[in-house]
Amino acid sequence: MTTLWGGRFTGPTDEQMWAFNASIGFDIRLAQVDIRGSIAYAKALERAGLLSAEERAALVGGLERIAQEFAEGAFALAPSDEDIHTAVERRLGELVGPVAGKLHTGRSRNDQVATDIRLFLLEELPKLGEMVRHLQHALVEKAAAHLDALMPGYTHLQPAQPARFSHWLLSYFWMLERDQERLREIVRRAAVCPLGAGALAGNAYGIDREALARDLGFAGVTENSMDAVSDRDAVLETLFWGALVGVHLSRLAEDLILWSNPQFHFVRLAERYTTGSSLMPQKRNPDSMELVRAKAGRLVGNLVKLLTVVKGLPSTYDKDLQEDKEPLFDTVDTLAMALPITAGVIETLEVDVEAMRAALDDTLLATDLADYLVKKGVPFRQAHHLVGQAVRLAEEHGVALRGLPLEALQGISSAFGADVLAALSFEGSVEARDVTGGTARRAVEEQIHRARERLAAS
Amino acid sequence: MTTLWGGRFTGPTDEQMWAFNASIGFDIRLAQVDIRGSIAYAKALERAGLLSAEERAALVGGLERIAQEFAEGAFALAPSDEDIHTAVERRLGELVGPVAGKLHTGRSRNDQVATDIRLFLLEELPKLGEMVRHLQHALVEKAAAHLDALMPGYTHLQPAQPARFSHWLLSYFWMLERDQERLREIVRRAAVCPLGAGALAGNAYGIDREALARDLGFAGVTENSMDAVSDRDAVLETLFWGALVGVHLSRLAEDLILWSNPQFHFVRLAERYTTGSSLMPQKRNPDSMELVRAKAGRLVGNLVKLLTVVKGLPSTYDKDLQEDKEPLFDTVDTLAMALPITAGVIETLEVDVEAMRAALDDTLLATDLADYLVKKGVPFRQAHHLVGQAVRLAEEHGVALRGLPLEALQGISSAFGADVLAALSFEGSVEARDVTGGTARRAVEEQIHRARERLAAS
Amino acid sequence: MTTLWGGRFTGPTDEQMWAFNASIGFDIRLAQVDIRGSIAYAKALERAGLLSAEERAALVGGLERIAQEFAEGAFALAPSDEDIHTAVERRLGELVGPVAGKLHTGRSRNDQVATDIRLFLLEELPKLGEMVRHLQHALVEKAAAHLDALMPGYTHLQPAQPARFSHWLLSYFWMLERDQERLREIVRRAAVCPLGAGALAGNAYGIDREALARDLGFAGVTENSMDAVSDRDAVLETLFWGALVGVHLSRLAEDLILWSNPQFHFVRLAERYTTGSSLMPQKRNPDSMELVRAKAGRLVGNLVKLLTVVKGLPSTYDKDLQEDKEPLFDTVDTLAMALPITAGVIETLEVDVEAMRAALDDTLLATDLADYLVKKGVPFRQAHHLVGQAVRLAEEHGVALRGLPLEALQGISSAFGADVLAALSFEGSVEARDVTGGTARRAVEEQIHRARERLAAS
Amino acid sequence: MTTLWGGRFTGPTDEQMWAFNASIGFDIRLAQVDIRGSIAYAKALERAGLLSAEERAALVGGLERIAQEFAEGAFALAPSDEDIHTAVERRLGELVGPVAGKLHTGRSRNDQVATDIRLFLLEELPKLGEMVRHLQHALVEKAAAHLDALMPGYTHLQPAQPARFSHWLLSYFWMLERDQERLREIVRRAAVCPLGAGALAGNAYGIDREALARDLGFAGVTENSMDAVSDRDAVLETLFWGALVGVHLSRLAEDLILWSNPQFHFVRLAERYTTGSSLMPQKRNPDSMELVRAKAGRLVGNLVKLLTVVKGLPSTYDKDLQEDKEPLFDTVDTLAMALPITAGVIETLEVDVEAMRAALDDTLLATDLADYLVKKGVPFRQAHHLVGQAVRLAEEHGVALRGLPLEALQGISSAFGADVLAALSFEGSVEARDVTGGTARRAVEEQIHRARERLAAS
């Protein structure tokens, strides 16, 4: 097989080794960005006096045709196409002849692939950001539509205090808003161009790296050629980003799976986001959310893969770094599935307001009862203990907290007055928490307002 | 689309959700084992009186034809083929008509896929064992061929004591021998049959599970139907096994990469296991070993994926478990590439005995010098300190340890006698370590003997 | 500071580096096994003629005294005690004088620590096995005590089929039984003795390694000295074992946390395994089970630590391997907390049989309804579809499945007869699954019988 | 035992469960930030009219005294001190009496610990940033001091092109510069205050959250109380940051370990950063760098721990989140050791310029030879092939590339002229790469200039 690098080699290649070594099976996905990089490099070579205008035109014409072939699915791989760079250069030679051999002047696959990856990130990450935004939008609008739905707020999955369903929805908005912020930082940091770093030592042909970077839409150039060819930070940051988004989504999924169980019945997934059973005719399983929950594991694993690969590697480029692409592609693809599915689930979610309200029980008001005592002058810690006794008493008598006779309460503390019952209600409880980020209607409306502002600004 | 489970569903399926949910893209790989399981199940249904002999024959005939279609690449997927089980059942219906609808009697995809995975493991793991064995064989025979090659043994990558190159090779044999032992345990534990566990509650049709298991080559049946459908231990064990094999290979790869560097030049990879550079014409890079080293990261990541997926899952089957297959297949495929490549590298490795010997320097004999003093009656700890001083003295004078004048040594300790030089040699050093597992020729020959016995027995 | 190894060193040690390098902070835990190894080594030196009987007696006496000092908390660390080996050797010198310097003859900390770790594993792993056994016992006896409690069996956390609560409990018994089997394999594989491997090249003093190994209770000796000093497989296997046990426990914990939620109220954790809230007086949170669920993450992380450390390490001993001990100790300690807590939770668990029964609804009988049709001659797949329609019809009419008038059923299929209602009951459903591992009373009793046999045999 | 939350509890606590549940063993480290938070909260309660000025003064006075007790090591833990919050509140009661019971008014440990963690991050992360800066400084100044030292630049650990040692040093500067940028982002994002979020629903006492946040030095407040108490993103980001820094350092360590091997002898670690062997008197092992390399595994494991813990957790606070602190503290402590050690190693590193130069061999000039042909008009790809043949020819004849007779070269291509030898030199090669980030002296000086500017600006 004819390789790019075979001048000093004598023997034939080994088929098994060829298969093990070749990356064309997955880096073919970089075809368009690879060609874009080559077109810019051809222009840079012309600027540096290494190509005539005609030669440059021939190369660019050839490259554009190859780009079209890829776009149309018409590109035919040859057995010697070890990777996407080789494939493009081989085809270019077929199309434009020996001048193709000039394209690689001073360029190495090391700086070329580093450039390709960054161009890929600059293209794909904003798309993921848009999907996150879509999900955020779904959450905010669902919240706005269900402002009055009260439900038990849980901590430790035990009833804690009454809360608004919309407040729960918005809690995920803000997680995702942090994800958006992190994504913008990764994109900004990825936008420096390694092209011109060569194999590891820089470019000997006087290439104007800054102009080349501008041509490709980068904001700057890498500062050190050895670092440039071995730096995979942007990929690792993306993998971590994906893992964290995945973990966030897994929590949302867990909540919805629990609440879809008939013991809760707080929500019901739209039929299209559920599937049935091959054995049990009644089933409507929340497969969509279970898969979203599971994808967190997949995304964490992708991160671990590359961290472990890079750990302890000797300086500059090692072939090990070829293992960066599959986890990266998988993380991007996984999120590009999981994010829209989750948005769809939220948009189409049926909310059973009655079931939520039915689940509200008096123990959720215990804190409010303590608050009542505080207002009567009892220090909070003491109030907490007194209410604890009331809860136990109610439990022992099998009545709700508000079902305890006043005398029973007064047996616990004389601070309890006749106004105590009036002081306790689920609406009153949520309305009392009227601070930034609290459950009061005003606070949640304010939250929705700010969330919409963020969406509008992004 | 017609699904297996659509009776109670009203709306059309959602395309995006369909793509997210479907597993046919990867579980098609289970086609043959899935069909094998179905054939056995048809027989079990006949035994239980649920199928007539004719019906069973029709089903088995249809299934065998489908197996052939898969084997020949002639099986045509339909858009409704959600997974391999669905695809086979759909096609079976086309081939044999309504009787196909009887095959799933009392069976769920939950016990079906659990069975498929185990059949897959029972097929694939022994193949991996054979590849490990091939690599072990290569190591032993290379060791036998280079029994006299001495090299510096390193600890902390600093020269420690002289060692035989063959001893180093054999150190990997024993790592892999432990891997073999672990593999046999996984296979043995995987050989119990979940079929008959149904969706989670067992089989209501009086299936003879033991007979069914025997038919499929299992050694026994699972003891609890809820566990049976959600147990992925065998997959997790396989993923850990793969990660550990990967880590072992990564160490071998690291050694060979280092020793291929011209500063060492202890070994030279056969040309076919190296590749060149697109920029630098002189390059012959050890890509094969770099990729093997990197695969450890990939294999560790696969393990983390599934551990994280299973963590915290509610009882019995959850859709999350569908994420077990891709890491499993990837681990199997990765090892099926990396193991033969590594064996090939060892078999064809050029060994530069002279470079190894040239790297032997006198400091490697410091321990032997201390041993000399011990034989003269100096306690070891004191001898160690005295030799430390001699090493420092030699370093300060820029001479080798054996280049220190006797008087200089005697200035350090009067225990040094005129016989000291004769006591020190690289061969003498390795020969002195004549215990089980030591570097002496006899000990290494014994090691090779035992290694060959193991290979012969396996 | 005086070090074991300072002969050739000139300058003072650096405090920060000393702290970074020293392992005494954690390997002090190996004190007893380290001393045990040294006592055996002293005897081996005597057998090899390197120590007189008096010298051996002096060393053994000193070592025994140090062991006692550690046992009584009376051992005083010196600033120069870099690690447990150094500390013991230093103290031995104080106690018995210069003969202490003979103990290290031919021994390295490399083979010493490898031996210590294995002795540690051989001591600690059986204790963990005993704790697993205790938990298994708790599960079986709880199951035996609640044989008649029926509950919804869930898949995808959606109601699937009726199941026995005891069947659910037993599903965890079998997971843990596999863990037991794996543990025994690890212990068996760990029981080979590395002592005599020296730093990497073996022992030059004719130590009888086999006798030494027997003295320490090992079943055999390591076969290759280079492998012996760098092999951490037994630790990695233990870390994986711990991660898998942790994942199993996390599922049990998840179930109990869900079922403790008042919407389920299937179980109630004993008060002692719950805690309250600093703010909300009514709270009784299942902290015990939440922490057990979380420990899975900790255990997985410990495994990843060491896999990543070992990946790509050059041959034989590297200082990196010092990082093996902290994850190992943490995994052992974590399980030694989580296992008894879980056993205690199970033993004291209150089971609300009425709440379980109240959660049984007719959709759980849909499969039985399909089974009914199969018995009437309808192929299963068709029966599944027909029952799916019945479920939808019942849902649309807001009635239970058994509340559908016979005519309505017959409108779906004429195979439905007047006997259909009699055919459907929760007890009937569980009893119908009378295969090995099924939900029928007989099958569960048989399961309990086998489980008790396993416990008795172990 | 008296707990904060015991009002409704009846039985005694269980010792084992207490130990399992308690976090005081590690969260005691948060004492100072916890107290700081409480002082600010007392002021907020005063502002909200819930405390009189005297009460506030009493509380603040008591808290300040407790802070001092912790600072002086005089704080005595009580058996009932479940966690740091409990311990402080208990002690406060002892010091100031019942008014201590008012401090927790409207506050939960959920928002309290979330605040503590953020205050901890805001204190510790800048210190780590300073340590990174110190290491960057060491790298730049070492680079400035060795500007003329040439060495082989490696890719795939095979000789690639000549490079400056200083260029290699600077490659790590830029990795760390990205780490600095990421750290600043984490700090900025962590600087929002969760206090006032209560257990999950917000604060019912009209606390001015914005003023409270300002008091504590935060830039803003959290927007949603449910998110606020369960958000661990800042910890996860820190753990990822630590893992990535660890991976960067592991590569530096790997390089230095390799180059300390006598076959390279490019560098020599200062004695204080090496240690000796208990067995081999000559040893000077690079333990410092081996441990730094290993810490990457530890840091990756810490990240995996928390990602796995958080995966799939139900909404708001679950006890599982208590597992956030140990990995966080361990990552901070690990870096606080590894960074200064690495800086010390670089500062004191001996550089063997002669050994580096001796390792330069002619194959490193192959690319330059191809560049020569390009300048003669040969397309690069063809030039690459021709030089490949020259390399093979030289190898076959056992001569250096520059040792090939001109005729031999001309036999390969007539483009080779008599000026070819003059065109080839190691200095010429590095000087030719005079682009941003290249190896030319000017480019490296420019790099140093920019690096110093960054350090000055930070």
Side-chain angles (χ1 to χ4, degrees), chain A residues 25-214:
Chain A
F26 46 87
D27 67 15
I28 194 167
R29 181 159 179 176
L30 298 172
Q32 294 297 343
V33 291
D34 191 76
I35 293 168
R36 192 133 59 82
S38 285
I39 290 174
Y41 196 68
K43 292 177 185 168
L45 288 173
E46 181 191 10
R47 276 194 298 268
L50 289 147
L51 291 178
S52 67
E54 291 70 29
E55 287 174 324
R56 189 262 303 142
L59 290 176
V60 170
L63 288 163
E64 285 171 347
R65 180 155 158 208
I66 298 171
Q68 206 177 338
E69 289 178 359
F70 273 109
E72 291 166 357
F75 187 92
L77 282 174
S80 70
D81 290 348
E82 180 184 352
D83 53 31
I84 184 60
H85 325 299
T86 308
V88 170
E89 189 172 339
R90 187 261 313 154
R91 179 72 181 131
L92 188 61
E94 293 167 8
L95 291 173
V96 305
V99 69
K102 294 194 170 184
L103 179 61
H104 220 70
T105 310
R107 190 171 64 156
S108 160
R109 286 180 296 181
N110 295 357
D111 58 343
Q112 192 177 358
V113 74
T115 305
D116 287 4
I117 292 172
R118 286 165 186 266
L119 289 171
F120 174 82
L121 290 172
L122 296 181
E123 265 191 23
E124 297 299 325
L125 296 187
K127 290 184 203 163
L128 292 178
E130 197 45 49
M131 292 177 204
V132 174
R133 196 174 173 281
H134 178 183
L135 172 55
Q136 288 182 290
H137 181 82
L139 289 162
V140 175
E141 295 315 314
K142 199 81 183 178
H146 290 281
L147 212 50
D148 292 322
L150 296 196
M151 62 181 297
Y154 297 109
T155 60
H156 305 254
L157 208 64
Q158 287 293 314
Q161 295 180 328
R164 294 184 188 280
F165 175 63
S166 52
H167 195 54
W168 169 82
L169 284 163
L170 291 164
S171 70
Y172 286 97
F173 174 90
W174 298 106
M175 283 187 216
L176 295 167
E177 185 63 15
R178 289 191 296 276
D179 292 326
Q180 291 281 26
E181 194 178 317
R182 279 184 282 266
L183 189 69
R184 286 190 293 268
E185 293 163 359
I186 298 171
V187 168
R188 196 181 57 237
R189 202 166 11 256
V192 292
C193 183
L195 205 53
L200 82 159
N203 186 295
Y205 291 92
I207 287 291
D208 181 344
R209 292 190 61 210
E210 285 73 12
L212 175 55
R214 269 194 308 275

Side-chain angles (χ1 to χ4, degrees), chain A residues 5 8 10-11 17 109 271 276-278 282 287 290 293 295 298 302 305 319-320 323 326, chain B residues 5 8 10-11 109 271-272 276-278 282 287 290 293 295 298 302 305 319-320 323 326:
Chain A
W5 37 263
R8 71 162 296 190
T10 52
M17 175 60 193
R109 286 180 296 181
E271 193 183 274
S277 155
S278 61
Q282 87 281 13
D287 294 52
E290 294 174 280
R293 182 174 59 186
K295 297 300 181 189
R298 185 177 188 124
N302 283 339
K305 283 187 181 190
K319 183 65 164 233
D320 311 60
E323 288 285 316
E326 284 164 290
Chain B
W5 37 263
R8 71 161 295 192
T10 53
R109 286 180 297 179
E271 194 183 273
R272 84 181 72 158
S277 156
S278 62
Q282 87 281 10
D287 294 53
E290 295 174 280
R293 181 174 61 185
K295 296 300 180 189
R298 184 176 188 124
N302 284 339
K305 282 187 181 190
K319 184 67 164 231
D320 311 61
E323 288 286 315
E326 284 164 290

Side-chain angles (χ1 to χ4, degrees), chain B residues 10-46:
Chain B
T10 53
T13 51
D14 177 79
E15 215 172 303
Q16 204 171 32
M17 175 61 194
W18 184 265
F20 190 54
N21 186 58
S23 56
I24 188 70
F26 45 88
D27 66 16
I28 194 168
R29 179 158 180 176
L30 298 172
Q32 294 297 343
V33 291
D34 192 74
I35 292 168
R36 191 133 59 83
S38 285
I39 289 174
Y41 196 68
K43 294 178 186 166
L45 287 173
E46 182 191 9

Side-chain angles (χ1 to χ4, degrees), chain A residues 175-360:
Chain A
M175 283 187 216
L176 295 167
E177 185 63 15
R178 289 191 296 276
D179 292 326
Q180 291 281 26
E181 194 178 317
R182 279 184 282 266
L183 189 69
R184 286 190 293 268
E185 293 163 359
I186 298 171
V187 168
R188 196 181 57 237
R189 202 166 11 256
V192 292
C193 183
L195 205 53
L200 82 159
N203 186 295
Y205 291 92
I207 287 291
D208 181 344
R209 292 190 61 210
E210 285 73 12
L212 175 55
R214 269 194 308 275
D215 257 26
L216 285 166
F218 286 107
V221 302
T222 55
E223 300 274 6
N224 179 293
S225 57
M226 283 179 152
D227 176 41
V229 294
S230 74
D231 169 23
R232 291 300 183 271
D233 283 10
V235 180
L236 286 162
E237 288 193 70
T238 300
L239 297 181
F240 171 66
W241 183 82
L244 190 46
V245 171
V247 165
H248 289 159
L249 296 182
S250 79
R251 299 190 69 177
L252 177 58
E254 171 87 357
D255 284 344
L256 292 177
I257 292 165
L258 298 186
W259 298 349
S260 298
N261 178 289
Q263 300 299 119
F264 284 95
H265 208 277
F266 291 177
V267 298
R268 197 171 146 99
L269 268 62
E271 193 183 274
R272 84 181 74 156
Y273 292 112
T274 63
T275 64
S277 155
S278 61
L279 179 69
M280 300 170 289
Q282 87 281 13
K283 280 302 213 90
R284 247 189 63 178
N285 295 321
D287 294 52
S288 56
M289 288 295 94
E290 294 174 280
L291 286 171
V292 165
R293 182 174 59 186
K295 297 300 181 189
R298 185 177 188 124
L299 293 162
V300 170
N302 283 339
L303 171 61
V304 170
K305 283 187 181 190
L306 192 55
L307 281 170
T308 308
V309 165
V310 180
K311 176 251 164 183
L313 279 194
S315 245
T316 92
Y317 185 79
D318 302 283
K319 183 65 164 233
D320 311 60
L321 295 173
Q322 180 166 301
E323 288 285 316
D324 62 345
K325 275 171 260 348
E326 284 164 290
L328 173 61
F329 295 160
D330 189 68
T331 282
V332 167
D333 293 344
T334 298
L335 291 170
M337 296 282 269
L339 285 163
I341 291 286
T342 308
V345 164
I346 294 294
E347 283 166 349
T348 60
L349 194 68
E350 293 173 47
V351 182
D352 189 335
V353 178
E354 283 67 36
M356 287 179 179
R357 171 152 296 256
L360 295 172

Side-chain angles (χ1 to χ4, degrees), chain B residues 117-135:
Chain B
I117 292 172
R118 286 167 187 264
L119 289 172
F120 174 82
L121 290 173
L122 296 181
E123 266 192 22
E124 296 299 325
L125 296 186
K127 290 185 204 162
L128 292 178
E130 197 44 48
M131 291 177 204
V132 173
R133 196 173 174 280
H134 178 184
L135 172 53

